[in-house]
Amino acid sequence: MQVFPAKRKKRIANGALLFAAIIGSLGISGCAMQSSSANGGGPPPAPMVPAAQIVLCDDLSSSCTAATSFSFSTLRDLNIQVQWTNVPAGNHVQQLDILLPNQGGLYQTTQTAFLISGSSPGSITTSRMFPVGGTWISQRQMSGSWSVQVSLDGQVMASQAVEFNP
Amino acid sequence: MKRYEPIRKITRAGKPLAWGAILLLILARPAAATERVTIQISAVNLQLRAADTFLDQAAPNTVNGAQQTFAVRSLTGNSNRRAIVMFDLSSLPNVGIKSAILTLHVQTPPSATRTYEAHNVTSFFTETNATWNTRAPGIPWGAAGGDFTAAATSTNTVTNASTTLTFDITADVQTWYNGSPNYGTLIKDSAESNAGGVQTVFWSKEAPVQTNAPSLTVTFVQNVASIAATPGNATLTVNWTYPAALGAVVRPTTGVLVLRRQNFPVDKASWPGDGTSPAVCSVVGTGKVVFKTAALATTFTDNFTCPGDPPPNNSTWFYKVFIHDSVNNYTVNGTSAANGASTYTMEISATPSAAVANQQRSLWIAATHSTNLADPALFPGSIIMVGSQSNLLIGIDANTQLRKYPPVSIAGPVTGRSALIDSAETTVAQNVLFLGDQQGLVYAIATDTGRILWVVNPTGLATNIIFQGGASIQLKSLSTGFPFADDLVVVGTRIGTTKTANQVFGLDANTGATLWALTGNSGGAPPMDIINSTPEIDYMHSAIWVTSNSNAGTQPSLWKINPANGLVIATASLNDIDGSPVLTAASDVLFVGNKAGTLFAVDPTTLATKTFAGGDGAIIGFPVVVGSSSPYTVIFSGATRVHAVTYTVATGTFAPLWSTPINVPSAPIAITGMPNVFVGSNDGKIHELSLATGTDLKQVTANTGQPGFVGDPSLDLTLSRIYVSTTDQRAYGFAFPF
């Protein structure tokens, strides 16, 4: 039997959880469950895990093409879309934190509540216009790698780096 | 052992006078401790910021906030009812919460036992607007029936014999004292849409017998007061006092624990755990324990003797001071690392140095939880109001340096400096702050109490509407030919989805009612791009000046508006402008700077312009004008320098005066008659420049982040203090001159 150091065990456990989350988010956990439960045994079904994808775009572009780098001398508002999947039915609260470059702390935080109707997990997309042009970001040339972090019901679910340049 | 020595000495004396001295010591001893109060509406606690109501699914557009009762109901057919209760916690402005128990008094119990849930409400609402569908004027809930946390904070059962129902909402109240807005608590049935229907009716704060109103019993430890840091040569002394008790004493205060950090404030997620007693020189989060006492000490001199302490001189040291009681409960709020349990614990900073001239200290530091670089609003000698981008408005008492009340919770982030008007001048008859937020709402807030006097949604839009700049107010008492009964509040929109149809509103300062609206491309008005600035009131010319963007130079960007009706008097096309316009004291010139870096001198009557193009990049914020008559000195910031020019009205000419390099400067501040100019920078400092020469005379350190942006300064001439906000989620007060 191979014995893993505690730290490595933890990494493996985290990796398994991450894998379950990815499988869950891809919506193929049902297939795996069916194949493994044919003889009545096997592991319990992987729970459907909520997943978030953050999409950033310049609201003025008609196609809202996703990007992660913007010039604050031309960008007016950053359109922050959060695409949620596998969110359990019920009331939820999304928190969107905009973090300063260089681990500089919280710039802005906003909360958005939404309801997943029915009794099964669902999908929803939230959108927020984050003002950039004419704000301190452009006036004070706050360039660098910012971070957009999204939480669901108090748990951080995704983070996306965004570069603001002159 | 040390703590008992004074008493032992007195006892040994064996004289009656000594026992009297002991009694006096006990009576005179500061009484703050772990304390408990019950907050409930009464003749002495008017609960001005409180609200309670119920949301009725069967009557989804009915407002129920004024009723003497509210109901929680489970009934099929879309007929559920949910209650919301929000308390005014103003009586507890500077505390660490240990327990908070919500009690509701039953008017009519349910016919069968039910389980009810208490959830933290997550969106702003008003008692006069909240319905099942809507939370504020023109703004729906994110989900009909209220916006609240998915997980219940607490549950409890109510029976047909219940007279009260309690919920432990400690965790939620702690988040309200850690930088999250207080929007109250929602109560709902855990199994809604019951076929037979079952309901409990509770008394509201409007109950005819006030002791039946909802109450909140809070156990807490107060912050220290009068905190001050005095630097020396390789030494630094921190002083504080213990506040008087606010409630019944549960356990006595027994001392303080002090954390210290070099160059940065002690992180909000660093705190001593309740019940623990970290040793001196041990590390707690980002801080080091440098002082801990079981006696009621009020001073501590830091000689930097812990192992590994670096040479102290010429570094800025930040201290966070926690009161503790006899079982080591501290001035912290819970255990949430994410929110930061010591967000609002009192802190201070100072810089020791061998050279007295280089020693410096802050007078106060206040957490803002998020970033705001606007100049703090103030009523000199009285109050400082700082907005935040976490939907909060923080009121600081300019004299005690303490928060006047827990932050005012509003709907959206605040980014503009807002007008704060003295009661002697405004018709609202209180010290009132007017502001707009990024939810598109405009507020009047009584700064004495933190009460929201009115809130309106002038555009009627629910999304994509922002008030980026501040609000201005035209005082009736200073105006001639003023047609309105009350003062006039003026705000401009940043509706990012349009480059032509932005709006300027004139609102009644006493009610928020829209008196007029100017809409770009409508009613004969030219197209109007987004507005990022604060309007300027021109009493001399009976006009309001507004700046805007210009849709790539194709539209007007300077607007002269009639305050009586909102009609456009004149416009000028000066390309994109993000900064605010500024009038001279004599109102004979209007100065404005655009994004291209051009400074304009505008004739307020003809709108004829003279230009100065000697800046360096976009003009930041607003220019500052010094002088009571021409020639004026105009100071403004560019990308890397602060510039001063003179402007002579008779000749219409600018003349460069000086230009001083400052890293990414804020807007400057200077006052006629003062010899110096103050400006923030991204080096974490406030720079004091000579008005005559531009020489960078001296600096104080406010924010040592990398980079540490310091926002636009405000000056309090009554107390000779300068206030700034920074990117380290704090506001600072310093004495000036430095």
Side-chain angles (χ1 to χ4, degrees):
Chain A
M1 188 176 72
Q2 194 174 3
V3 179
F4 296 109
K7 275 188 178 175
R8 192 171 168 197
K9 272 186 183 174
K10 192 174 180 183
R11 276 202 298 271
I12 291 171
N14 288 342
L17 281 174
L18 179 63
F19 178 72
I22 293 170
I23 294 299
S25 68
L26 292 174
I28 57 174
S29 58
C31 296
M33 180 184 69
Q34 283 178 349
S35 63
S36 64
S37 61
N39 59 2
M48 298 285 276
V49 179
Q53 184 178 4
I54 300 171
V55 179
L56 310 173
C57 65
D58 182 339
D59 70 304
L60 297 178
S61 63
S62 56
S63 59
C64 195
T65 305
T68 57
S69 181
F70 301 89
S71 165
F72 52 60
S73 58
T74 57
L75 177 67
R76 287 158 67 100
D77 296 300
L78 181 68
N79 185 354
I80 304 173
Q81 293 186 356
V82 183
Q83 299 168 352
W84 291 101
T85 52
N86 292 333
V87 181
N91 288 78
H92 298 281
V93 178
Q94 166 197 293
Q95 181 167 315
L96 198 61
D97 291 341
I98 313 293
L99 303 172
L100 291 156
N102 305 317
Q103 301 174 329
L106 184 63
Y107 179 80
Q108 182 188 89
T109 183
T110 54
Q111 291 190 322
T112 304
F114 58 81
L115 174 69
I116 300 294
S117 305
S119 57
S120 55
S123 300
I124 194 168
T125 297
T126 65
S127 178
R128 167 162 174 75
M129 293 290 194
F130 175 65
V132 175
T135 70
W136 303 309
I137 298 172
S138 62
Q139 291 210 8
R140 300 296 299 277
Q141 307 168 59
M142 301 173 82
S143 57
S145 183
W146 292 57
S147 182
V148 178
Q149 179 177 287
V150 66
S151 305
L152 184 70
D153 302 328
Q155 300 295 316
V156 175
M157 302 298 290
S159 183
Q160 173 67 58
V162 54
E163 195 86 19
F164 289 138
N165 299 305
Chain B
M1 293 301 288
K2 215 170 185 179
R3 57 191 286 202
Y4 298 111
E5 281 180 7
I7 294 177
R8 203 160 51 227
K9 284 174 186 170
I10 294 172
T11 306
R12 281 192 192 123
K15 296 177 182 176
L17 185 61
W19 288 106
I22 292 172
L23 182 61
L24 278 175
L25 277 172
I26 292 170
L27 292 176
R29 193 174 79 172
T34 293
E35 306 167 51
R36 184 170 293 141
V37 298
T38 295
I39 294 171
Q40 186 177 44
I41 192 168
S42 69
V44 294
N45 187 345
L46 299 178
Q47 286 289 289
L48 296 173
R49 291 167 61 178
D52 54 30
T53 187
F54 67 97
L55 317 178
D56 190 347
Q57 193 176 18
N61 297 311
T62 299
V63 174
N64 300 301
Q67 296 196 26
Q68 293 183 346
T69 60
F70 53 77
V72 176
R73 182 168 76 186
S74 175
L75 177 60
T76 191
N78 293 327
S79 297
N80 298 305
R81 287 176 173 173
R82 299 169 179 173
I84 299 181
V85 182
M86 183 172 72
F87 289 91
D88 180 351
L89 301 174
S90 297
S91 57
L92 303 176
N94 297 289
V95 300
I97 300 294
K98 301 300 152 191
S99 168
I101 306 298
L102 166 64
T103 300
L104 304 179
H105 294 263
V106 176
Q107 189 235 30
T108 306
S111 56
T113 299
R114 304 297 297 176
T115 299
Y116 286 171
E117 303 172 344
H119 296 255
N120 195 29
V121 178
T122 58
S123 292
F124 175 84
F125 76 96
T126 70
E127 192 182 57
T128 53
N129 292 98
T131 69
W132 184 268
N133 287 333
T134 302
R135 59 187 177 90
I139 301 180
W141 296 100
D147 297 345
F148 52 88
T149 51
T153 307
S154 173
T155 62
N156 206 347
T157 55
V158 57
T159 73
N160 59 8
S162 294
T163 57
T164 60
L165 180 63
T166 62
F167 295 98
D168 183 343
I169 60 169
T170 305
D172 291 345
V173 179
Q174 287 174 334
T175 69
W176 304 339
Y177 281 88
N178 281 333
S180 295
N182 170 11
Y183 299 136
T185 302
L186 182 141
I187 313 296
K188 65 184 281 288
D189 195 301
S190 65
E192 292 186 313
S193 304
N194 179 278
V198 59
Q199 172 173 282
T200 306
V201 180
F202 301 96
W203 290 108
S204 77
K205 65 180 170 57
E206 284 80 17
V209 178
Q210 287 188 327
T211 52
N212 285 331
S215 65
L216 186 68
T217 300
V218 184
T219 307
F220 57 92
V221 177
Q222 289 195 64
N223 260 312
V224 294
S226 307
I227 187 170
T230 306
N233 179 11
T235 186
L236 200 156
T237 299
V238 182
N239 295 293
W240 60 88
T241 62
Y242 296 92
L246 296 170
V249 174
V250 178
R251 278 181 298 275
T253 296
T254 51
V256 298
L257 181 145
V258 182
L259 294 181
R260 182 193 71 197
R261 190 181 184 195
Q262 184 180 20
N263 291 336
F264 300 92
V266 174
D267 187 79
K268 64 186 179 183
S270 300
W271 69 88
D274 281 346
T276 70
S277 183
V280 171
C281 295
S282 65
V283 173
V284 174
T286 59
K288 180 182 283 187
V289 180
V290 291
F291 184 65
K292 189 182 166 229
T293 176
L296 292 176
T298 57
T299 186
F300 157 63
T301 296
D302 191 352
N303 292 312
F304 300 88
T305 53
C306 281
D309 275 353
N313 278 349
N314 304 313
S315 283
T316 300
W317 298 89
F318 291 80
Y319 295 82
K320 191 169 263 190
V321 181
F322 302 81
I323 282 182
H324 64 78
D325 69 7
S326 54
V327 296
N328 288 321
N329 280 339
Y330 296 91
T331 319
V332 300
N333 280 287
T335 57
S336 169
N339 287 329
S342 68
T343 300
Y344 290 142
T345 304
M346 294 301 289
E347 52 190 348
I348 201 72
S349 67
T351 308
S353 177
V356 173
N358 293 335
Q359 296 170 358
Q360 57 180 249
R361 65 188 185 118
S362 62
L363 295 176
W364 56 261
I365 302 174
T368 58
H369 191 62
S370 56
T371 298
N372 186 322
L373 296 180
D375 41 344
L378 61 93
F379 181 57
S382 175
I383 192 167
I384 306 115
M385 298 296 292
V386 184
S388 86
Q389 292 202 76
S390 42
N391 305 2
L392 298 173
L393 193 66
I394 294 110
I396 310 291
D397 186 308
N399 293 293
T400 68
Q401 303 155 23
L402 294 169
R403 278 182 300 278
K404 280 183 75 80
Y405 31 71
V408 181
S409 301
I410 60 175
V414 184
T415 51
R417 184 193 182 176
S418 302
L420 176 53
I421 304 300
D422 176 20
S423 58
E425 297 175 26
T426 180
T427 50
V428 183
Q430 296 179 72
N431 295 340
V432 178
L433 182 85
F434 298 93
L435 81 156
D437 70 9
Q438 290 198 6
Q439 183 88 75
L441 300 181
V442 182
Y443 309 77
I445 295 171
T447 58
D448 294 347
T449 60
R451 179 188 186 189
I452 297 175
L453 299 172
W454 54 254
V455 53
V456 295
N457 179 358
T459 66
L461 298 173
T463 57
N464 295 333
I465 162 65
I466 285 173
F467 289 106
Q468 181 74 21
S472 287
I473 181 161
Q474 180 169 2
L475 297 171
K476 179 183 176 184
S477 59
L478 301 181
S479 304
T480 53
F482 194 68
F484 304 120
D486 306 315
D487 299 330
L488 179 70
V489 177
V490 185
V491 288
T493 66
R494 177 193 172 117
I495 305 174
T497 52
T498 177
K499 290 185 175 182
T500 59
N502 276 278
Q503 296 178 284
V504 180
F505 290 93
L507 310 175
D508 184 308
N510 286 22
T511 66
T514 297
L515 299 172
W516 50 257
L518 163 62
T519 303
N521 247 357
S522 176
M528 181 180 280
D529 203 346
I530 56 173
I531 297 167
N532 291 320
S533 55
T534 303
E536 174 82 328
I537 306 297
D538 184 348
Y539 291 96
M540 187 72 74
H541 300 93
S542 294
I544 297 162
W545 296 94
V546 173
T547 57
S548 71
N549 276 207
S550 64
N551 194 4
T554 62
Q555 296 173 190
S557 56
L558 177 64
W559 305 72
K560 183 179 182 182
I561 299 168
N562 186 337
N565 52 29
L567 295 177
V568 176
I569 299 171
T571 64
S573 296
L574 308 180
N575 293 317
D576 286 348
I577 303 174
D578 289 327
S580 304
V582 175
L583 279 165
T584 60
S587 297
D588 52 352
V589 188
L590 181 84
F591 291 100
V592 61
N594 70 9
K595 283 171 71 174
T598 301
L599 177 68
F600 295 90
V602 183
D603 184 315
T605 303
T606 66
L607 270 69
T609 59
K610 302 293 182 183
T611 61
F612 177 79
D616 66 318
I619 292 177
I620 306 303
F622 46 84
V624 171
V625 185
V626 175
S628 53
S629 61
S630 176
Y632 296 105
T633 299
V634 185
I635 306 127
F636 62 96
S637 293
T640 61
R641 305 181 78 88
V642 178
H643 307 266
V645 298
T646 58
Y647 181 75
T648 304
V649 175
T651 59
T653 53
F654 283 101
L657 197 56
W658 49 259
S659 175
T660 299
I662 298 288
N663 282 339
V664 193
S666 71
I669 187 75
I671 305 286
T672 299
M674 280 180 47
N676 298 329
V677 178
F678 297 91
V679 63
S681 172
N682 79 341
D683 61 7
K685 296 174 181 174
I686 310 171
H687 295 252
E688 185 178 36
L689 312 180
S690 162
L691 175 62
T693 66
T695 303
D696 193 351
L697 300 170
K698 199 171 180 183
Q699 310 88 38
V700 295
T701 299
N703 175 5
T704 51
Q706 300 297 329
F709 286 85
V710 176
D712 301 344
S714 294
L715 292 180
D716 182 337
L717 298 183
T718 301
L719 298 176
S720 294
R721 289 179 183 176
I722 185 167
Y723 309 125
V724 293
S725 297
T726 68
T727 48
D728 67 357
Q729 299 95 50
R730 284 167 174 80
Y732 292 79
F734 295 92
F736 73 84
F738 297 159

